[in-house]
Amino acid sequence: MSSNLRLRYEIDSFVVPGDRLGSFFKTTLPGPGTSARKGHLYASTAGRLSLQQQEQQSLITVTPPQEQDFASRRVILVGQIVLAKVDRVSWTQAHVSIFATETGGTLQYPTEAIVRREDIGSTVPVTHTTNTNSNNNNNKTSWQVIEAVRPGDWIVARVLSLGDTQRYMLTLAEPQLGVWYALSAKSGTVMQPKSWNTMVCPETGIEESRKCAKPRS
Amino acid sequence: MSQPWLRNRNHLFALCNLRTDGRKASEIRRMRFQMGVVEQVAGSALVEMGLTAVLATVTGPTECLRRADELPDRAVLQVHFAAAPFCTADRKHVPTNDRRFLEAARLVQRALEASIFLHLYPRSLIQIHITILSEDGGRLCAAINAASCAVVHAGLAVKDIVCACAAGGVDPVLIDLNRREEIDNINMACAMLPQRGTIVLSQCEARLPSVEALDRVLETAMDGCRAVFAVMEAAIRENAALQWSSKRGKAIVALSETNVV
């Protein structure tokens, strides 16, 4: 297998972008950090050249030494869980700003997003109970937006789609998604979740309606 | 020019076919590359070409400021050009919307767009901030070299390292003009992908006597770019090796002479 490879650089040597690594055949594939052009392999990043043997092919990769963990290098992906702050609430949707992504990193700029009223709660009941009262209490299929989130709340949501040209679309229709931090409207104290749809102020005891996120264990 | 010792020195240099700073016609200035000078960004580079010093930082790929600015198939590259008030002999504050800086930023953007694989980062924004710390001629070439080094340091996928150098004069053709030579001679800035041999940028704002002179100046500028590439490649390779060593906790920081010409 190694006789088919014609690399111009030794394995584990350092290459710079633009270096021609060699020709590639059916048994040689360009991996991350390389690019192919007219039957030749070129390095596209500065780093160390490595070779990974797969079943019948070889993968030529260039591993950069940079630790790519900067706050300015995070892009929102569909399906990610994000941390957002509620800016405005209307009758049909809530306007939020995304500040951080699931990997724990903050974005460089806050990004606009919306949570539609249909995406706050699940429209399919998760349990099949014969008790009508229990069913209504445990499976809320219709929300008023003001009952779920309020301006100033911090929510944990999942990116549903790219949305339109200005905003992403988020969803709260999962048990672990919802309001994660809220202040009491009366006293301004941080409220604690009492149930999945109620938050209570520890100072005044006033209960407010929220779509609470399931606490993480 | 009234001092006799200065007149004698110029005469002595002219007799030896040397320039006013002691270089031959085909020599580039002393270059120095430092990468990773700013720790808060993904890529940064400080480039000194003679007495011209330029700092470039690369931020990204990150989310666009406005969703309307996004492109669905590739990244958006933005270049911002600025100059420190102390970069010239007379201290003055140049606003960032100066037309010369906007033109220079646009030229640097076009030079780098020809090299970066922008289609690998769809719907994202790559920002490059260039600051001139000291100016002694050839600031566009120094800016392109600094931005190219910063992009490579940031780990972005590029086709080749963009190298830039200026050439001027007709007989003889000089390489890498300084500030005094820029005033008296024809000046042509040239940027190219050296391992592919492709010119990505060429700018000349002077009256050339003939087409053969244009060919001669352009060929000389490309030779200058290859000389710059030799220095830049050594610096990038050494920086990658140093980062790998420090990643394993075996870094021995030594001032080497390989990236100093």
Side-chain angles (χ1 to χ4, degrees):
Chain A
M1 181 61 65
S2 60
S3 61
N4 284 338
L5 294 177
R6 303 181 199 168
L7 295 180
R8 302 177 64 215
Y9 295 86
E10 296 180 359
I11 303 298
D12 284 342
S13 63
F14 292 102
V15 292
V16 299
D19 283 349
R20 191 170 72 85
L21 307 177
S23 307
F24 75 96
F25 307 94
K26 299 176 183 176
T27 57
T28 308
L29 292 177
T34 61
S35 64
R37 177 170 175 262
K38 295 181 179 178
H40 293 294
L41 270 180
Y42 295 90
S44 58
T45 52
R48 174 173 279 189
L49 184 66
S50 61
L51 185 68
Q52 299 175 10
Q53 292 283 348
Q54 292 184 350
E55 299 168 358
Q56 292 182 359
Q57 290 164 331
S58 307
L59 197 68
I60 300 178
T61 58
V62 176
T63 311
Q66 180 79 269
E67 297 282 352
Q68 311 204 352
D69 190 22
F70 286 94
S72 60
R73 316 199 79 192
R74 290 172 185 129
V75 181
I76 298 169
L77 304 173
V78 174
Q80 258 186 345
I81 294 182
V82 296
L83 181 71
K85 185 177 187 181
V86 182
D87 296 326
R88 305 190 307 275
V89 170
S90 67
W91 184 70
T92 54
Q93 60 197 10
H95 295 255
V96 304
S97 295
I98 300 175
F99 280 88
T101 56
E102 181 180 8
T103 57
T106 56
L107 297 178
Q108 198 184 13
Y109 314 106
T111 307
E112 292 186 23
I114 58 170
V115 183
R116 295 184 305 169
R117 192 174 69 150
E118 299 86 19
D119 296 323
I120 291 176
S122 176
T123 56
V124 177
V126 295
T127 58
H128 302 276
T129 175
T130 55
N131 195 337
T132 308
N133 295 330
S134 175
N135 192 8
N136 288 338
N137 288 334
N138 291 330
N139 302 278
K140 197 180 181 91
T141 59
S142 175
W143 285 87
Q144 298 287 334
V145 180
I146 203 68
E147 292 175 353
V149 295
R150 292 199 185 185
D153 291 352
W154 288 83
I155 62 173
V156 176
R158 190 183 293 273
V159 181
L160 198 60
S161 69
L162 295 179
D164 51 6
T165 58
Q166 294 189 358
R167 299 170 190 88
Y168 288 89
M169 291 181 71
L170 310 179
T171 178
L172 304 177
E174 287 180 31
Q176 69 268 21
L177 306 178
V179 174
W180 178 74
Y181 176 92
L183 300 180
S184 173
K186 181 70 71 174
S187 61
T189 320
V190 180
M191 292 195 290
Q192 305 293 328
K194 181 185 177 183
S195 66
W196 62 277
N197 62 344
T198 307
M199 269 190 166
V200 64
C201 174
E203 197 169 289
T204 62
I206 296 177
E207 297 183 1
E208 297 188 17
S209 175
R210 294 283 200 284
K211 205 277 180 185
C212 303
K214 184 178 182 180
R216 298 195 173 187
S217 58
Chain B
M1 286 299 177
S2 59
Q3 292 87 3
W5 61 270
L6 193 57
R7 191 183 307 115
N8 289 340
R9 192 191 73 165
N10 287 343
H11 284 172
L12 190 60
F13 281 160
L15 284 175
C16 301
N17 286 327
L18 296 180
R19 297 195 254 176
T20 55
D21 47 7
R23 287 185 286 147
K24 297 175 185 173
S26 58
E27 277 182 343
I28 60 174
R29 289 177 287 180
R30 183 185 181 98
M31 297 187 69
R32 189 168 178 222
F33 293 87
Q34 301 178 52
M35 276 165 281
V37 291
V38 182
E39 296 179 356
Q40 287 83 16
V41 292
S44 59
L46 178 66
V47 170
E48 303 175 29
M49 295 179 68
L51 296 180
T52 302
V54 178
L55 174 70
T57 59
V58 172
T59 301
T62 185
E63 282 285 325
C64 284
L65 277 164
R66 287 182 297 267
R67 291 288 307 274
D69 296 335
E70 284 183 357
L71 297 176
D73 55 341
R74 65 182 188 272
V76 179
L77 183 63
Q78 285 183 3
V79 179
H80 304 274
F81 219 95
F86 46 84
C87 70
T88 49
D90 46 340
R91 179 191 178 98
K92 62 178 180 179
H93 173 69
V94 186
T96 53
N97 54 358
D98 188 79
R99 289 209 175 262
R100 295 169 297 167
F101 287 169
L102 293 181
E103 183 194 11
R106 181 62 186 159
L107 291 174
V108 176
Q109 178 185 345
R110 283 178 52 194
L112 289 176
E113 274 178 355
S115 171
I116 304 176
F117 287 107
L118 294 174
H119 65 273
L120 294 180
Y121 315 100
R123 290 191 316 274
S124 59
L125 171 71
I126 300 172
Q127 283 181 328
I128 300 176
H129 294 261
I130 296 170
T131 305
I132 304 175
L133 304 177
S134 172
E135 184 176 350
D136 186 48
R139 78 184 178 192
L140 179 62
C141 303
I144 291 175
N145 292 329
S148 184
C149 275
V151 161
V152 172
H153 183 256
L156 298 179
V158 294
K159 297 169 187 170
D160 205 342
I161 305 170
V162 186
C163 301
C165 193
V170 173
D171 199 8
V173 185
L174 311 173
I175 273 185
D176 202 11
L177 309 176
N178 55 21
R179 187 181 184 94
R180 184 183 296 266
E181 290 163 348
E182 273 185 356
I183 299 174
D184 299 333
N185 289 303
I186 298 169
N187 184 23
M188 173 184 279
C190 176
M192 67 181 290
L193 306 178
Q195 307 205 50
R196 293 192 178 192
T198 310
I199 296 177
V200 298
L201 183 75
S202 179
Q203 189 197 33
C204 183
E205 297 174 352
R207 196 178 293 119
L208 285 163
S210 60
V211 183
E212 290 82 15
L214 171 64
D215 288 340
R216 195 160 61 245
V217 173
L218 202 56
E219 282 293 330
T220 310
M222 291 173 72
D223 291 339
C225 290
R226 293 188 186 96
V228 169
F229 172 69
V231 187
M232 194 183 289
E233 182 197 25
I236 291 174
R237 215 182 284 270
E238 179 199 349
N239 181 260
L242 186 64
Q243 277 182 301
W244 267 100
S245 302
S246 62
K247 199 175 179 181
R248 283 156 173 73
K250 295 184 289 186
I252 301 176
V253 181
L255 295 179
S256 72
E257 294 295 324
T258 58
N259 58 349
V260 178
V261 167

